[in-house]
Amino acid sequence: MPVSKKYIEEIKNKARKALDKPAIYGEDIDLKKFQKHIERGKIESLELLPELAKEAALMAGVDVEEKERIGSYLQMDHSVVYKRLNKLYEGKVELMSTNEAVEAYDWLEEYFWRIVQPDTDKYTAQVALNPTHGYFIRILPGQKLDYPLQTCLMIAEGYISQNVHNIVIVEEGAELHIITGCTLSKTDATGIHLGISEFYIKKGGKLFFTMIHNWAENFYVRPRTAVVVEEDGVYVNNYALLKPVKSIQSFPTVYLKGDRASARFNTVIYGLKDSYIDLGSKIIFEGKDTKGESLARTISDHKSVIYSRGDLIAKTEEYCMGRLDCRGIIFSKNSAIYAIPQLISYGANKADLSHEASIGPISEEQVEYLMSRGMTKDEATSLITSGFLNLDIPFLPEMIDKHIKEVIEMTSKESM
Amino acid sequence: MIKKLQEGGIKMAEMLRVKNLHVSVEGRKVLEDINFSIDYGEIAVLFGPNGAGKTTLIMTLMGFPKYKIEKGKIIFKGVDITHMDVSERAKLGMGISFQRPPVVRGVSLRKLLKIVGNGKTDEELLHYAEKLNLTNHLDRDVNDGFSGGEVKRAELLQLLMQKPELVFIDEPESGVDLENIVLIGEMTNHLLGRDQRVKDVKRSAIVITHTGYILDYINADKGYILYNGKLMCKGNPRDILSEIKKNGYRRCATCQ
């Protein structure tokens, strides 16, 4: 049974009223520029992707051989071109497009547009009115899988608006790792990626979510994400942006609803060319003994502008602990970093919130130290830079960790 | 060793020649009219009270920009390096052990050693790491949370991979417990090639020491006292040490 028509209509009505509503942060984008609709045919294997697309997928962390993946979901422009779940995991995890899930499950109403509101701004409204898939992933109670599931949202053509809506449900006691690569295979394309993500982590569940963003100079990105974590649940969000983008703005929110729920954000941002980057994380502490951490490392080069936001908001009368650690390095005189940590306590008299924010240059002392070992100034700077961005991220599969490190190294060398 | 071959008026036996060197740090004169030379395979020890300018001298020789050469010349292996940067000097064969090296976050000691070793085998790296009790430190960030002894050993390990021809060592024994002193002493001797028979692996060095403990492990050829920014006397390092132990640096003042 599909989600009720009445509910869908309610969503759309709300959205219609917000079609011209600008977002709180980031430049206002005229969505009328991006009207093209492009459908693509299905492929049998990720290895059969066209060369450019395959390369883009690889760079976004996709394993095209799928050796160490329990399944894959790849969307190109407005079509789901590939979707496969390893047979071993059938009955343990569900994978489909959100459009399909809306048709299949009436109970999806409890998860669909519940923690992200369709009338938040013009971008959520656009997705509510013209959804073009996105993934629906549900892992069944108690299931713990050996490998990550991978998804890739790709754009291969200019002037389109990719309006995806992703829903992830981690049932009680289950554990899941998702790797998502969002990328462009046509690097000079202008367009926009709008992504609604609603993640639900039930009692004792764990979700490790790793996202690699590889955009390009003319591309706009506006994700809208919210996560609910119940009792004893864990959410870990790893995010890397190491390529230029026209502008990106996102401020994912995690609600630590259950007692002892925890969340951690690890964010690595390299601002290149004219990128306008406004990214952050918001953790709301509602349960007792909840714990949240947000670590961000940002480097601004060329003419990039980076806003690095972090909000910790305590709403519980019981103990909770939150920590923000955001550090930036200014690389170029023409770039800018705004580090904006914010701690808010609503009468949470047992809450322990702290932040550490810093912006500074590359340490001369470190550069000279490495130069005395025979490195050139550029080599030393690039090593320090990649070290700075090298957050030791727990639970990250080795391959992805290696991949991110390689990209960081490449980026820091190229930008010298 | 090649001896007394003349080339452009420079003795080939001479590895380093410092001529009339005047150095200031942040506008303050620190070194005045320093003149000395080091031969291939020669180890010189630099004594002197705190603040005399010992560290300034080796930092200047290594080429750190904070140490400004006001006057004079530094010739290394027949090349005028007075205006070369740190990296160029390192590539030419100079190396330094830092007293208090900075932490380099996110970069493992192993990674740094591989870069510094530039093509040397992993076996060699592991062999030296084991000898210096640093196997468990290889995957830690460079110098992050290292104790005094660990810092010294990590510096030595880097130099063993780098293999410079002229090594500057700043107080190898400071902040190090007795057990570590033996290890550091022996490995420093190994670095300088003094425990090997083959002559051509011998390296030259300038070693700064306060206590002189390091002299029990390395067979130093000569000693200097740096006092008040000036190089005062030259002699047998053990004689100089026993003089300092007896009378301190008082007699240097009368020497000026």
Side-chain angles (χ1 to χ4, degrees):
Chain A
M1 279 240 298
V3 170
S4 75
K5 286 225 165 59
K6 189 173 155 257
Y7 182 65
I8 303 263
E9 211 33 58
E10 268 173 41
I11 296 293
K12 295 204 169 180
N13 279 335
K14 271 194 196 172
R16 276 181 204 107
K17 288 174 195 150
L19 268 174
D20 296 314
K21 186 178 170 186
I24 298 172
Y25 303 118
E27 74 171 294
D28 190 41
I29 302 159
D30 177 11
L31 294 173
K32 289 184 193 78
K33 287 192 289 186
F34 313 118
Q35 302 268 12
K36 253 194 204 171
H37 187 88
I38 300 191
E39 292 286 348
R40 306 255 172 199
K42 293 208 180 320
I43 52 170
E44 289 298 308
S45 144
L46 287 176
E47 298 193 76
L48 296 174
L49 277 170
E51 244 355 271
L52 278 176
K54 195 152 104 183
E55 204 177 296
L58 281 168
M59 286 300 290
V62 174
D63 176 6
V64 293
E65 293 176 24
E66 299 183 79
K67 272 188 196 151
E68 297 187 336
R69 298 288 186 268
I70 58 170
S72 304
Y73 171 97
L74 187 135
Q75 176 164 349
M76 194 184 277
D77 299 329
H78 294 127
S79 310
V80 182
V81 298
Y82 184 78
K83 188 187 75 186
R84 181 184 153 270
L85 191 63
N86 187 314
K87 285 207 161 32
L88 286 172
Y89 302 97
E90 277 173 14
K92 297 180 176 178
V93 61
E94 280 185 88
L95 170 66
M96 60 181 92
S97 108
T98 300
N99 288 21
E100 280 179 277
V102 167
E103 291 302 314
Y105 299 131
D106 55 351
W107 54 258
L108 197 68
E109 209 172 301
E110 290 170 45
Y111 303 92
F112 189 61
W113 292 109
R114 289 297 178 185
I115 46 178
V116 175
Q117 294 309 313
D119 55 357
T120 305
D121 52 38
K122 66 205 289 188
Y123 312 110
T124 55
Q126 164 112 325
V127 180
L129 292 166
N130 308 297
T132 56
H133 304 284
Y135 49 82
F136 166 82
I137 298 167
R138 173 171 171 255
I139 175 159
L140 277 74
Q143 296 295 339
K144 291 172 186 176
L145 311 178
D146 322 332
Y147 298 109
L149 202 156
Q150 66 183 356
T151 66
C152 180
L153 303 166
M154 189 183 291
I155 286 159
E157 191 52 68
Y159 301 99
I160 72 165
S161 170
Q162 192 181 49
N163 311 328
V164 300
H165 191 153
N166 309 310
I167 294 177
V168 176
I169 302 169
V170 176
E171 296 287 358
E172 286 191 10
E175 279 184 37
L176 181 65
H177 195 146
I178 298 175
I179 295 168
T180 289
C182 298
T183 186
L184 279 183
S185 66
K186 185 175 163 43
T187 51
D188 59 348
T190 179
I192 190 163
H193 167 88
L194 303 172
I196 308 300
S197 293
E198 295 183 284
F199 298 168
Y200 299 86
I201 300 162
K202 305 279 181 75
K203 201 172 158 183
K206 290 180 182 167
L207 177 61
F208 305 103
F209 185 79
T210 299
M211 184 183 260
I212 297 171
H213 267 180
N214 277 357
W215 304 109
E217 284 97 315
N218 302 317
F219 208 76
Y220 298 92
V221 186
R222 293 291 183 273
R224 299 290 179 255
T225 301
V227 184
V228 168
V229 189
E230 292 184 1
E231 245 173 275
D232 297 300
V234 175
Y235 177 66
V236 177
N237 184 98
N238 305 313
Y239 176 84
L241 173 67
L242 305 165
K243 295 273 173 206
V245 62
K246 175 85 179 174
S247 90
I248 181 168
Q249 187 273 314
S250 178
F251 204 170
T253 304
V254 177
Y255 300 89
L256 297 176
K257 280 221 187 291
D259 295 347
R260 297 170 302 281
S262 71
R264 177 173 167 137
F265 283 86
N266 300 300
T267 305
V268 174
I269 299 167
Y270 208 128
L272 296 158
K273 299 192 178 166
D274 292 306
S275 299
Y276 185 98
I277 298 164
D278 187 332
L279 292 169
S281 65
K282 189 180 288 186
I283 303 177
I284 300 173
F285 302 80
E286 296 179 9
K288 173 184 169 185
D289 293 333
T290 43
K291 194 180 161 196
E293 277 183 292
S294 183
L295 280 73
R297 298 287 178 270
T298 54
I299 289 183
S300 67
D301 203 352
H302 307 137
K303 291 181 179 169
S304 62
V305 174
I306 304 175
Y307 285 80
S308 176
R309 302 178 193 273
D311 284 8
L312 299 177
I313 304 170
K315 290 185 170 175
T316 171
E317 286 173 12
E318 302 287 345
Y319 177 79
C320 68
M321 198 276 275
R323 187 170 75 95
L324 283 174
D325 173 355
C326 87
R327 297 185 207 173
I329 292 182
I330 286 269
F331 233 63
S332 134
K333 282 183 193 158
N334 303 316
S335 68
I337 296 180
Y338 300 75
I340 312 172
Q342 185 166 239
L343 310 178
I344 303 170
S345 176
Y346 290 107
N349 55 1
K350 290 181 189 165
D352 179 0
L353 307 178
S354 67
H355 77 75
E356 195 181 331
S358 67
I359 300 176
I362 284 252
S363 146
E364 283 296 321
E365 194 195 6
Q366 290 178 27
V367 173
E368 288 168 10
Y369 179 56
L370 297 175
M371 282 173 77
S372 80
R373 300 285 183 247
M375 278 172 239
T376 62
K377 193 172 185 178
D378 285 355
E379 287 164 349
T381 308
S382 135
L383 183 65
I384 294 164
T385 309
S386 55
F388 171 79
L389 293 177
N390 178 8
L391 281 175
D392 265 324
I393 301 174
F395 319 113
L396 198 62
E398 206 183 316
M399 228 187 74
I400 289 292
D401 187 39
K402 210 174 140 221
H403 173 77
I404 294 180
K405 281 179 183 155
E406 277 167 11
V407 176
I408 288 173
E409 238 164 83
M410 235 190 295
T411 307
S412 54
K413 268 182 198 149
E414 275 168 14
S415 72
M416 281 298 126
Chain B
M1 222 191 307
I2 313 153
K3 275 199 175 152
K4 290 186 180 155
L5 269 177
Q6 299 285 321
E7 196 185 80
I10 295 161
K11 276 192 222 152
M12 279 304 281
E14 197 173 278
M15 175 183 257
L16 179 77
R17 161 68 57 180
V18 177
K19 287 184 198 168
N20 185 29
L21 190 70
H22 292 247
V23 178
S24 68
V25 180
E26 285 154 6
R28 193 172 54 88
K29 280 185 193 169
V30 182
L31 297 177
E32 212 179 308
D33 196 19
I34 304 285
N35 291 283
F36 73 100
S37 70
I38 307 261
D39 283 349
Y40 279 89
E42 200 174 33
I43 298 177
V45 180
L46 198 55
F47 298 100
N50 283 332
K54 302 186 297 294
T55 300
T56 297
L57 178 56
I58 61 168
M59 296 300 263
T60 306
L61 295 177
M62 193 68 224
F64 292 100
K66 187 179 148 194
Y67 304 87
K68 199 167 165 245
I69 298 177
E70 301 288 353
K71 224 161 106 180
K73 261 187 187 171
I74 307 168
I75 313 287
F76 179 57
K77 297 201 294 185
V79 182
D80 183 347
I81 61 160
T82 316
H83 302 292
M84 279 189 181
D85 76 11
V86 185
S87 166
E88 290 168 307
R89 295 185 198 201
K91 284 203 175 97
L92 214 55
M94 286 182 162
I96 188 165
S97 161
F98 281 63
Q99 267 256 56
R100 274 177 289 275
V103 172
V104 189
R105 269 184 223 292
V107 178
S108 69
L109 180 57
R110 188 191 302 275
K111 183 168 185 180
L112 177 59
L113 290 168
K114 282 193 175 179
I115 297 171
V116 170
N118 189 24
K120 290 187 192 73
T121 61
D122 284 0
E123 284 80 48
E124 194 171 351
L125 192 161
L126 292 174
H127 167 76
Y128 283 130
E130 203 171 308
K131 282 222 153 185
L132 284 161
N133 284 333
L134 286 170
T135 315
N136 293 329
H137 292 68
L138 288 175
D139 293 313
R140 282 171 59 177
D141 288 357
V142 176
N143 301 321
D144 190 14
F146 288 16
S147 70
E150 287 165 347
V151 161
K152 300 282 177 190
R153 271 147 47 205
E155 289 292 295
L156 252 177
L157 181 53
Q158 290 172 51
L159 290 172
L160 281 160
M161 295 307 283
Q162 191 183 349
K163 298 206 188 315
E165 292 169 73
L166 174 60
V167 194
F168 307 117
I169 304 177
D170 198 351
E171 297 202 24
E173 68 274 58
S174 82
V176 175
D177 56 40
L178 279 175
E179 198 183 336
N180 270 313
I181 284 182
V182 177
L183 183 58
I184 286 167
E186 285 173 358
M187 289 309 283
T188 304
N189 198 35
H190 177 77
L191 169 69
L192 300 178
R194 292 301 172 108
D195 61 344
Q196 291 155 53
R197 295 244 163 88
V198 191
K199 278 184 179 168
D200 61 5
V201 296
K202 281 191 183 146
R203 290 168 218 288
S204 307
I206 298 177
V207 182
I208 295 176
T209 180
H210 253 300
T211 61
Y213 290 145
I214 194 74
L215 296 181
D216 295 341
Y217 302 94
I218 56 170
N219 193 6
D221 300 295
K222 59 183 179 188
Y224 292 98
I225 292 181
L226 190 68
Y227 189 82
N228 230 348
K230 288 180 187 154
L231 217 46
M232 301 297 287
C233 47
K234 175 185 167 187
N236 179 304
R238 293 195 164 275
D239 294 346
I240 295 178
L241 183 63
S242 58
E243 163 64 26
I244 296 167
K245 278 190 175 159
K246 220 188 296 166
N247 298 311
Y249 292 103
R250 272 174 306 177
R251 302 219 316 194
C252 296
T254 62
C255 222
Q256 269 182 318

